[in-house]
Amino acid sequence: MNLKFFIPMFTQGQIDEHRERLQQVVATVHHFSALIFILTFVGYGVAVYLWFQDQPWAGLIVATFSYLFFRQFRSLSVGLARMKLRGRPGFAETWNMLDEAMKSERPQAVILALETRLRAPRE
């Protein structure tokens, strides 16, 4: 599988240079994604509970907000990861590199391709 198709603007040198920080970014994004996923389904549970408590409009509103929250989980998890890691030394250049990639691709595609590149054996 040719991974250069996914992120053509990243060279293997850039991946190797930023490997530790990129691995931290991917791990932090996954951490926040899991948290958002759990919170979304807690919201759905609350919506079902409200529905069965004869408050269908409240349940519908909570379910709608949970759905909208879930729809933004990739970009939100990247934003939360950025906030968590922004003060650490050396991350500014890494985030600039990722921002360039996210100008042409969705955050989901960039993180997936980046994770695949990081796990791939070195050439």
Side-chain angles (χ1 to χ4, degrees), residues 85-122:
L85 299 173
R86 73 175 161 207
R88 296 190 183 176
F91 275 88
E93 187 178 337
T94 304
W95 281 112
N96 288 337
M97 188 173 72
L98 290 172
D99 287 339
E100 283 299 314
M102 287 185 214
K103 284 181 183 177
S104 61
E105 294 290 335
R106 298 175 63 195
Q108 177 180 354
V110 172
I111 296 299
L112 176 65
L114 185 59
E115 184 178 15
T116 305
R117 280 289 287 270
L118 288 170
R119 289 184 180 182
R122 294 183 186 178

Side-chain angles (χ1 to χ4, degrees), residues 5 8 19 29-30 33 45-46 54 57 72 76-78 83 107 114:
F5 170 74
R19 182 171 292 277
V29 166
H30 285 312
S33 294
V46 169
D54 292 328
W57 284 107
Q72 298 299 318
L76 184 60
S77 60
V78 170
M83 286 190 333
L114 185 59

Side-chain angles (χ1 to χ4, degrees), residues 57-95:
W57 284 107
L60 184 62
I61 290 169
V62 170
T64 301
F65 280 119
S66 294
Y67 171 75
L68 293 173
F69 185 62
F70 182 73
R71 290 284 297 157
Q72 298 299 318
F73 88 97
R74 284 290 183 205
S75 56
L76 184 60
S77 60
V78 170
L80 291 170
R82 180 187 308 272
M83 286 190 333
K84 181 178 180 181
L85 299 173
R86 73 175 161 207
R88 296 190 183 176
F91 275 88
E93 187 178 337
T94 304
W95 281 112

